[in-house]
Structure formats: C-alpha cells, structure tokens
C-alpha cells in the first residue's frame, strides 16, 4: 500500500511479542520485499558489518547491493527495492522525495519510526500475520488553528520551502528566528507539538518540520539565536 507521501509499496517489520531473536523479524522483511516487483534490491545497514545470520547471508547474495551509512546518499536508492535495516529518524527523513519501487523498514526503536509510520502508512509485518493498514480518508482532520499570526507564518515558511528542492533556506530560517526573538509574546501560547502538527499538515519535508520544531523548543527553553544582520530586526506582520 502506498500513501500520499510515499507513492510506492511500504512495509515495516516489527519485533513481535514473544520473539527472543530478531532473525524472524529480518526474514519477514526480506520475504515481503522479494515479493514486490521493481528494480535492483538494495540492503542498507548502519555499518558494513552485518549482525545476524539472515541479513549477513542476504548481504552477500548474488545480485544484492549492500550499502552502509558512511558516505551514503538516499538519492542513490532511486529506482530500487530497498531493505532499510534499523534506520534512525534522520535517515528515514532523508527518504522524503526519493522515488523507490518498494521499501521495507526493519524497526529497532519505535520512537525513531513513529512519524514515518504516520506518513507512509506501511504494511506491518508481524509474527504469523501481515496486517493490511486501513485506508485513510483523503481529507485528514485539520490540526488546531494557531493564534497570533503563527499559522500564517508557518504557511509562508512551508510555501517558501516547497519552492526549493532542498527545502527551507537560511534566510527563511533567519526570519523565523528573528520573529521569535523580536515578538516573543506571539509564540508564548504555542506549543512545540502544535507547531510540529501544523507543519506536517502543511506538507513540509520531515527535515524542515524538525528544524522548525527545534527552533520553537530552543526558544521555549530560554535559548537565543544568532541572526544575520540583514534580518536582526525583522518580524512578521
């Protein structure tokens, strides 16, 4: 099943209750991926050395491309069927916009995969069962309206970021920092969670969502920003 964001089949292999080893979890991921049609099969692991018999044997199989994180670009996966073993949040974020034929994630930490699961709506691969995710309404419920002009600011930031292939630019980030510094009362009632939810609703790239949310978090924790002189006195209307 594909989502609006990930327009190719996606699945996630999760450690199931009662399993004492990750070998069945790994095997489920490989079986699912090999059942998908498409381009070359690529295994991505954090390091070249692969723990576990199932994956280590798969990595050295004929026709399998094995890549590790060092010197790795997610764009190099385009057109492939990918087994992504134990990715962290950042590596999942970097898959945004990469045109794959199929992707299966082997989960290690639920906190790292939580938002990717919401975006990708993958097939959960569990011990003894493959659960098809329920179809989602095309119209997702809107998040709360953000007061004090913050919603309009985030909409502007999202629109500007969408115009660039690499996402949010430094000048838009500096404008946001300057507004938080120069109009602190505007941001006082806004939570980090509200900002994150609104940014995701506006379709921002995962990396940009993290950037904006981190700025709000830092300011609420009492942090200050270094803003370039051209934007030091800037604030949104």
């Amino acid at each position: 099943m594909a989502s609006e964001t990930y327009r190719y089949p996606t699945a996630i292999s999760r450690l199931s209750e009662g399993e004492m080893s990750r070998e069945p979890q790994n095997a489920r991921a490989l079986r699912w991926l090999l059942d998908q049609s498409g381009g070359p099969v690529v295994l991505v692991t954090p390091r070249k050395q692969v723990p576990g018999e199932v994956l280590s044997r798969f990595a050295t199989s004929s026709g399998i491309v094995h890549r590790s994180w060092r010197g790795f670009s997610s764009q190099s996966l385009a057109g492939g069927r990918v087994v992504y073993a134990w990715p962290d949040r950042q590596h999942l974020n970097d898959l945004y916009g990469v045109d794959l034929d199929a992707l299966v994630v082997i989960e290690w930490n639920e906190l790292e995969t939580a938002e990717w699961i919401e975006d990708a709506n993958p097939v959960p691969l569990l011990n003894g069962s493959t659960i098809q995710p329920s179809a989602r309404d095309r119209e997702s419920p809107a998040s709360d309206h953000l007061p004090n002009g913050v919603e309009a600011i985030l909409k502007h930031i999202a629109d500007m970021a969408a115009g660039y292939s690499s996402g949010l630019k430094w000048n838009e980030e500096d404008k946001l920092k300057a507004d938080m510094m120069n109009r602190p009362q505007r941001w006082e009632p806004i939570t980090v969670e509200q900002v994150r939810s609104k940014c995701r609703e506006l379709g921002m790239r995962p990396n940009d969502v993290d950037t904006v949310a981190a700025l709000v978090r830092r300011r609420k924790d009492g942090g200050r920003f270094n803003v370039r002189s051209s934007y030091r006195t800037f604030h949104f209307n």
Side-chain angles (χ1 to χ4, degrees):
M1 175 175 286
S3 71
E4 290 298 306
T5 304
Y6 295 84
R7 301 178 182 275
Y8 48 82
T10 59
I12 183 166
S13 187
R14 317 189 81 169
L15 191 66
S16 299
E17 185 176 354
E19 288 184 331
M20 305 302 293
S21 165
R22 291 192 177 267
E23 293 291 79
Q25 178 191 11
N26 298 339
R28 286 195 294 274
L30 302 185
R31 284 195 300 269
W32 182 89
L33 189 84
L34 294 176
D35 282 341
Q36 311 305 310
S37 60
V41 176
V42 183
L43 171 66
V44 182
T45 58
R47 299 177 181 83
K48 272 296 184 183
Q49 185 176 3
V50 182
E53 181 181 351
V54 170
L55 286 183
S56 61
R57 187 169 63 245
F58 185 75
T60 57
S61 299
S62 175
I64 303 301
V65 178
H66 178 210
R67 293 184 175 148
S68 62
W69 291 357
R70 185 173 183 179
F72 167 73
S73 168
S74 294
Q75 291 296 331
S76 66
L77 301 176
R81 291 174 289 163
V82 178
V83 182
Y84 216 133
W86 322 302
D88 58 19
R89 179 183 176 81
Q90 183 59 60
H91 283 85
L92 288 172
N93 283 358
D94 290 343
L95 290 174
Y96 186 93
V98 181
D99 188 18
L100 308 180
D101 284 340
L103 168 69
V104 61
V105 168
I106 302 177
E107 183 181 68
W108 186 270
N109 185 327
E110 293 182 8
L111 293 177
E112 300 287 348
T113 60
E115 283 199 7
W116 176 81
I117 289 173
E118 289 188 26
D119 290 338
N121 196 26
V123 175
L125 307 178
L126 307 174
N127 184 23
S129 64
T130 298
I131 304 172
Q132 293 298 327
S134 59
R136 293 177 173 173
D137 293 335
R138 297 189 68 83
E139 295 272 340
S140 299
S143 59
D144 294 337
H145 175 77
L146 302 185
N148 302 337
V150 171
E151 182 146 351
I153 291 171
L154 295 180
K155 176 66 164 58
H156 166 79
I157 293 294
D159 289 345
M160 296 302 294
Y164 298 99
S165 60
S166 58
L168 192 62
K169 295 296 185 183
W170 70 265
N171 56 325
E172 299 301 331
E173 189 174 332
D174 263 17
K175 289 179 184 179
L176 194 56
K177 290 176 180 177
D179 192 83
M180 291 181 188
M181 295 284 289
N182 296 323
R183 293 292 185 271
Q185 69 282 359
R186 186 203 302 275
W187 296 88
E188 283 177 3
I190 311 297
T191 68
V192 177
E193 291 72 23
Q194 286 176 314
V195 168
R196 178 177 289 281
S197 178
K198 183 60 65 176
C199 288
R200 295 183 69 224
E201 179 187 312
L202 292 168
M204 294 180 69
R205 294 171 175 85
N207 279 333
D208 291 341
V209 174
D210 284 352
T211 295
V212 174
L215 293 178
V216 176
R217 168 63 66 192
R218 181 177 171 185
R219 192 73 184 104
K220 286 188 173 294
D221 288 344
R224 299 182 62 82
F225 302 120
N226 291 320
V227 180
R228 292 166 178 84
S229 58
S230 54
Y231 293 108
R232 200 160 290 153
T233 61
F234 175 86
H235 62 84
F236 291 98
N237 293 330

